[in-house]
Amino acid sequence: MPASGTVHWIGAGLSTGSGLATLCDTADRVRLWHRTEERAAQSLSALGLTGRAEPRAYTLTALAAELAPGDVVVSMLPAPEHGPLLATCVAHQAHFACSSYVSEAVLDQVPAAAAAGIVVLTESGLDPGIDHLFAHSLIARARTEIGADTAAEVSLTSYCGGIPAVPNDFKYRFSWAPAGVLNALRSPARYIEYGEETTAARPWEATRTHLVDAEPFEVYPNRDSIPFVDQYEVPPAWKPRTFIRGTLRLAGWLDAWQPVFEELRHGDDERIAALAQELAARYPTTDADRDRVVLAVSLDVRADSGRSWSGRYLLDMEGDAQESAMARCVSRTLALGVRKVLAGTLPPGLSRAAETPERSEEWLTELGRDGIDSTLDSTRHKSEGL
């Protein structure tokens, strides 16, 4: 289904930033849908986009009434709302894009979307998104140096966090809904450590110190890292020794959050929802705040022959008066994917930001031009006699 040139951006929360402006430069028409038309107009004004995009009051019914075949719907809504939204897109032959992980509700509709020629773009933000690009690139480089068929042990860590640029007593700055932050901590984390699959029922209890350029942070695993061994195309001859995708926090976060952890241990859903509201009121995000995004992805491959290769990507960015670092990273990455949908260069069906090493390099180059800078360091070693 050829793209029509019209983009519907749904939601104007903390992660909506200058990526929306790049789409106003690219698309024929952009509509920003928010809780009310007035709130949408206010968001456009704050982004300097008044007159460049049309404000709309969002309901699924109202959106459906304005969808045309080939339109692109960009969801900044919570993941549970993606299923009904994608169903509406499929019914109206509209493409769909989001920065979230692929959910079962989305996955179930991919065959119908593909049959209708519709692109379903997911995992195209910061984490998930840029982290995938880094991992694919590192593994491709290591394959070239070590050899995909060479027996080796591999360690991969991928840690990402939105943190305050100036540390506060709480050691945190909410860059997404507090309820989402708390519920993520309530979800078990599965990962590989010392060559064995491990599950942390309470992820924060697996927190450890992690140095990034000699700066200490605290990190812990999140979600399920195991499926990404295949998604990142780790060669079967390489045995994962460590494979952890997780969250990065400021040093001191574990101590500062102990009262929160006590609530998470004993509170029910109702209490945790109330706690989220209390924390949002106690630690509000203000215009004077500046955030910092740190994403560090490291890969170490050691072959049985003695050869080894190590590489690391680092993204370290601070927000400014115009935009938070989180909004910049998420919205510009997502907008890059949407521009590819508009250009017709993504195939129908399910896509992620990173599908192949070649595409990862392409996206990283384009993100660099869009102001999302990162650094790559690598080291190669050979054993004596080789």
Side-chain angles (χ1 to χ4, degrees):
M1 171 64 62
S4 67
T6 296
V7 173
H8 304 265
W9 187 286
I10 317 297
L14 293 175
S15 292
T16 292
S18 56
L20 182 58
T22 70
L23 292 179
C24 290
D25 292 335
T26 307
D28 297 333
R29 169 182 285 180
V30 176
R31 296 181 176 125
L32 176 64
W33 298 77
H34 205 31
R35 294 187 187 94
T36 66
E37 186 171 328
E38 180 183 12
R39 290 287 299 276
Q42 290 171 352
S43 296
L44 289 174
S45 176
L47 291 167
L49 298 177
T50 299
R52 298 179 62 193
E54 304 167 16
R56 292 287 192 274
Y58 175 72
T59 66
L60 201 53
T61 301
L63 173 68
E66 294 205 37
L67 279 183
D71 285 3
V72 184
V73 172
V74 183
S75 177
M76 302 299 284
L77 300 177
E81 298 186 44
H82 289 165
L85 185 53
L86 177 55
T88 299
C89 290
V90 172
H92 292 81
Q93 295 183 293
H95 305 289
F96 174 86
C98 71
S99 62
S100 302
Y101 287 99
V102 180
S103 66
E104 289 299 325
V106 167
L107 203 57
D108 288 346
Q109 299 180 69
V110 168
I118 294 168
V119 176
V120 180
L121 178 64
T122 64
E123 299 182 18
S124 297
L126 170 65
D127 174 6
I130 299 176
D131 57 342
H132 293 347
L133 301 174
F134 287 172
H136 271 277
S137 177
L138 289 172
I139 290 169
R141 293 168 189 272
R143 287 169 68 109
T144 298
E145 294 291 340
I146 299 296
D149 296 327
T150 301
E153 283 194 341
V154 57
S155 294
L156 182 143
T157 60
S158 178
Y159 293 117
C160 183
I163 55 181
V166 177
N168 53 23
D169 291 341
F170 194 47
K171 304 297 182 181
Y172 188 66
R173 176 188 186 275
F174 286 107
S175 55
W176 56 306
V181 175
L182 297 183
N183 285 320
L185 284 166
R186 299 172 77 194
S187 302
R190 194 165 71 112
Y191 54 99
I192 297 173
E193 191 169 42
Y194 305 116
E196 301 292 336
E197 291 189 11
T198 304
T199 299
R202 296 166 176 158
W204 71 85
E205 294 180 350
T207 298
R208 67 201 63 190
T209 298
H210 186 73
L211 296 179
V212 178
D213 290 347
E215 182 179 358
F217 294 95
E218 292 178 350
V219 296
Y220 60 90
N222 64 24
R223 294 180 172 266
D224 187 354
S225 298
I226 307 301
F228 292 92
V229 174
D230 290 334
Q231 185 171 316
Y232 291 164
E233 298 181 343
V234 175
W238 297 2
K239 176 179 172 56
R241 174 76 176 169
T242 302
F243 199 96
I244 302 175
R245 300 180 72 257
T247 299
L248 177 145
R249 297 287 182 250
L250 286 172
W253 170 82
L254 190 65
D255 288 339
W257 274 55
Q258 285 302 320
V260 176
F261 300 145
E262 282 303 307
E263 297 269 17
L264 294 179
R265 285 188 180 95
H266 306 295
D268 57 16
D269 290 347
E270 184 177 352
R271 173 55 197 147
I272 300 308
L275 176 62
Q277 294 181 336
E278 292 168 15
L279 292 175
R282 197 179 310 161
Y283 304 103
T285 299
T286 71
D287 292 338
D289 292 336
R290 297 291 177 267
D291 72 329
R292 178 185 177 193
V293 165
V294 178
L295 169 59
V297 181
S298 299
L299 178 70
D300 183 77
V301 182
R302 299 182 180 275
D304 292 354
S305 63
R307 285 182 298 166
S308 67
W309 186 90
S310 298
R312 185 201 69 174
Y313 270 103
L314 175 63
L315 185 158
D316 190 345
M317 180 185 298
E318 288 191 15
D320 54 31
Q322 285 71 46
E323 180 180 31
S324 72
M326 183 65 69
R328 184 177 304 140
C329 290
V330 173
S331 69
R332 291 191 187 182
T333 307
L334 184 54
L336 172 58
V338 174
R339 295 201 302 270
K340 293 183 180 298
V341 177
L342 290 170
T345 60
L346 294 183
L350 183 66
S351 282
R352 298 177 175 88
E355 293 286 355
T356 65
E358 294 76 19
R359 196 155 106 184
S360 295
E361 297 299 334
E362 173 191 314
W363 279 54
L364 288 173
T365 298
E366 294 186 53
L367 285 173
R369 289 199 291 263
D370 283 347
I372 307 298
D373 297 319
S374 58
T375 58
L376 168 64
D377 298 308
S378 63
T379 305
R380 176 179 58 185
H381 296 286
K382 288 186 178 181
S383 62
E384 293 184 6
L386 293 181

